[in-house]
Amino acid sequence: MHKVTILGFNQAYASAITGALDLFALAGITWQRMQGLVPEKSFEVRLASIKQQDIQCINQLTLKSQVAIEDVHSTDLLIIPTIGGKLEAVLEANRNLLPIIRKFYQNGTDIASNCSGAFFLAEAGILNGKTATTHWGYAELFNLRYPEIKLQPDKLITQNGCIYCSGGGMAWFDLALLLIERYCGYDVATQTAKAHVLDIARGNQAAYAQLRSKKYHQDIEIKHIQEWLESNYSHSITLEALATRVNLSTRTFLRRFKKATGQTPVNYLQSLRVEAAKKLLETQSLSLETLTNSVGYEDLSSFTRLFKGLTGLSPSQYRKKFTR
C-alpha cells in the first residue's frame, strides 16, 4: 500500500485536493468493479494540514483535514495543490509549510506540485538549479522571483529526481495518472484513466497559453517598442527600423530588448503574430491563407511550422480544438 499525503492550506483549489484524493483512492478499484474483478486498493490517501486545522478553499468549501502534517513521519508521496488566492498573500501566510516541505525532500519523499503549487517548492528552495513548470499565466512572475530555476512553462509536467511539477489548474489528473503509473505500472494507470474517461497523455500547455506583455522591466524604450509591435505586428518590420524608432544602434537595441523581455525582437514578433492568429482561429472562419496574410506572413507552410512550434498544434488542429 503506497502512502499519499496531500498538504492542504487555506485558499487552495478544492478540486486539486478532492480530485487527487478520488483518483488515487480509486486506482485499482473502479476499473476492477466495472469488469467484475476483485478490487485491489493501491493507495492510502490522507489530507493533512498544520495542526489538523480545517482548510478553507478558494471556492468557500471547507475541507476537514484527516491528520496533522506534523504527525506524518513518513509518506511515499507529498502533494502540494494549486494556490487559488493571491499568490504573495498565500505564500506569506503559509511560510510554516516551507520547513515541512524541505524535511520531506531531505528524507527522499516524492514531492509533487500542481499548477501554482510550484511556488511553494520554489520558496522552500528545493527547485534551485532544477527544471520546473507552473501555469503559463504565472511564468513571468515565477521567473522574476526564482531566476535560478529552469522554468519550462510549455511543459505540462516536469520531473527532477523525486520532484514533479504540473502546469494548469486542472492538470492534477495528468500528474496523478503519471504518479499512479510510477507506483503501480502502466496497466493500472491506463485502467484508471479509462474508468474516469481521462486522456492518459495531453502533451503540453503551450496551446492554452496567451502571450504575456513581458513588461515587468523598467526599460522605457523597450516598452515603447513592445507597445508599437502590439499594434503593428502585421507590417513588414526590420530590426534596424525598430532600433531607429528609439534612437539606438541595432546591436544595443538587440541586447537591451533581450535583457528586458527574455526574447529576441524576432521571437517576440513571432509570438505576437501567433497570438493574433489564435484569436482569429477561435472566432473567424477565414481561410488559412487569408489568416496567414492578415498576421504578416506570405507563406502558409512556414507560418504553419512556426505556429505548431509555439503551440504544439497546427492551425487546423487549433481551430478544431478551440473554435468558439
Side-chain angles (χ1 to χ4, degrees), residues 17-58:
I17 295 175
T18 59
L21 279 166
D22 286 341
L23 213 55
F24 281 105
L26 294 172
I29 294 180
T30 305
W31 178 262
Q32 282 70 10
R33 286 175 177 166
M34 291 177 174
Q35 302 301 314
L37 303 173
V38 177
E40 296 180 7
K41 187 175 181 180
S42 301
F43 296 95
E44 175 189 324
V45 195
R46 297 178 294 178
L47 176 57
S49 65
I50 294 287
K51 298 180 180 178
Q52 202 178 343
Q53 295 172 344
D54 290 351
I55 300 159
Q56 307 294 329
C57 296
I58 190 64

Side-chain angles (χ1 to χ4, degrees), residues 264-294:
T264 66
V266 171
N267 292 148
Y268 190 82
L269 178 60
Q270 288 174 336
S271 298
L272 284 172
R273 287 171 168 172
V274 166
E275 187 62 30
K278 286 164 62 177
K279 292 176 181 176
L280 290 173
L281 288 166
E282 292 170 14
T283 59
Q284 304 290 328
S285 57
L286 301 173
S287 70
L288 292 181
E289 290 81 2
T290 301
L291 183 146
T292 297
N293 293 336
S294 71

Side-chain angles (χ1 to χ4, degrees), residues 148-223:
E148 67 279 9
I149 298 172
K150 303 168 186 175
L151 187 69
Q152 298 180 331
D154 59 314
K155 296 289 183 65
L156 196 63
I157 295 177
T158 59
Q159 178 189 0
N160 275 266
C162 65
I163 300 178
Y164 299 78
C165 300
S166 62
M170 293 299 168
W172 56 262
F173 73 77
D174 299 277
L175 181 64
L177 289 173
L178 174 70
L179 292 165
I180 289 170
E181 180 179 354
R182 173 187 170 5
Y183 288 104
C184 304
Y186 179 76
D187 287 344
V188 174
T190 302
Q191 291 165 2
T192 304
K194 288 179 178 178
H196 296 276
V197 199
L198 300 173
D199 292 335
I200 191 68
R202 290 194 297 161
N204 62 41
Q205 59 175 331
Y208 301 88
Q210 294 180 353
L211 178 70
R212 307 289 288 181
S213 59
K214 298 180 182 294
K215 294 173 184 171
Y216 285 106
H217 61 82
Q218 301 301 315
D219 193 320
I220 302 301
E221 286 79 14
I222 300 306
K223 283 184 181 180

Side-chain angles (χ1 to χ4, degrees), residues 218-236:
Q218 301 301 315
D219 193 320
I220 302 301
E221 286 79 14
I222 300 306
K223 283 184 181 180
H224 172 75
I225 290 298
Q226 288 177 273
E227 290 166 359
W228 187 86
L229 286 172
E230 288 166 6
S231 300
N232 296 277
Y233 59 82
S234 62
H235 298 174
S236 178

Side-chain angles (χ1 to χ4, degrees), residues 79 117 169 308:
I79 297 178
K308 189 168 185 178

